[in-house]
Amino acid sequence: MSAQNTAVQPPSDATAAVRHPDAPAPGEPVGSHYANCFGCGSGQPHGLHLAARAGEGVDLTAEFTVRPAHQGAPGLAHGGVLAAALDEALGALNWLLRTIAVTGRLETDYLRPVPVGSVLHIAAEVTAQAGRKIYATAEGRLDGPDGPVAVRADALFIEVKVDHFIENGRQEEIRAVMDDPDVRRQARAFEVNP
């Protein structure tokens, strides 16, 4: 094994991310992908129901309440669910860039157990951009935003066009989402550069 994978670290020629002028204002909720999204959608009974709010820069905060359906070991959050919560918060950062992007790589470190019933307070930020690559980092804390770090992640996102989902998603879900004119307009608006 290599000592450390640098795939989630920005290259030396990366630039600072710039918050889009049409991004949600600081403190405002960051939108949901759609109702059936496992991470942020309200239509998934066992989903994460992650609620994110825009920060001042290209950053956000989010909260995730660990429910019994999210456990792995008895009484503790499943590690994959914790990774999904961080991935969801990291992916929500793209709302602040008004960019459509998908996870290319996610490296997660687990530092302490997360009990069922606890709230994971997540802080995420974009650290840099290089072409279509977006680099970001997040950490989840217990017992409040300043509590002990339980899990953290570094991620690489790749900018894509909405056609990525249209061409690769299950057609009945794609049609249902794209039949909503507000969703279609919003998705296409993200493809236009400021």
Side-chain angles (χ1 to χ4, degrees), residues 32-45 47 173 176-177:
S32 153
H33 293 108
Y34 78 116
N36 287 327
C37 175
F38 176 78
C40 62
S42 60
Q44 285 289 344
E173 278 91 353
V177 170

Side-chain angles (χ1 to χ4, degrees), residues 71-133:
Q71 65 189 311
L76 297 173
H78 188 285
V81 169
L82 295 175
L86 291 181
D87 183 50
E88 185 65 30
L90 289 159
L93 290 166
N94 294 309
W95 283 91
L96 304 177
L97 300 172
R98 292 210 27 118
T99 298
I100 300 171
V102 296
T103 309
R105 184 172 193 96
L106 179 71
E107 292 185 10
T108 308
D109 296 313
Y110 302 92
L111 305 172
R112 63 181 58 223
V114 177
V116 169
S118 61
V119 176
L120 192 66
H121 298 266
I122 302 171
E125 70 175 322
V126 175
T127 56
Q129 289 183 268
R132 293 177 47 224
K133 295 180 178 181

